Amino acid sequence: MRECLESDTRFYYAVGALVILFFVIAVLVVTTVNSIGFGSQGFLGFLVGFGFFMLVFFVSAAIHKLEDLEDV
């Protein structure tokens, strides 16, 4: 496991995956406990916003990886 996370880019991908996992668990808990459904407008906007945030996160991690390859 340690070898997998030695690279900064791999660490960023692992953190991003962990954040997505926690987000999915939190969304499932909130929708189960409360009467909020996936189709409600505010909740849908929240999901789309988080999706865009994670998209930018992973694109920036990919750019960071490309910058590392350029320095060689």
Side-chain angles (χ1 to χ4, degrees):
M1 178 72 173
R2 186 175 201 154
E3 294 172 0
C4 181
L5 297 178
E6 284 183 5
S7 167
D8 288 343
T9 306
R10 290 181 187 161
F11 177 75
Y12 296 148
Y13 285 139
V15 168
L18 187 66
V19 167
I20 289 174
L21 177 69
F22 285 152
F23 182 78
V24 168
I25 290 171
V27 165
L28 291 175
V29 167
V30 166
T31 56
T32 304
V33 172
N34 294 335
S35 63
I36 298 173
F38 285 110
S40 65
Q41 188 175 7
F43 194 66
L44 187 62
F46 180 67
L47 293 174
V48 170
F50 180 77
F52 281 135
F53 170 74
M54 291 311 295
L55 176 70
V56 169
F57 178 81
F58 284 116
V59 166
S60 65
I63 290 172
H64 178 66
K65 183 178 180 179
L66 291 174
E67 286 177 348
D68 287 343
L69 292 176
E70 190 175 273
D71 290 339
V72 173

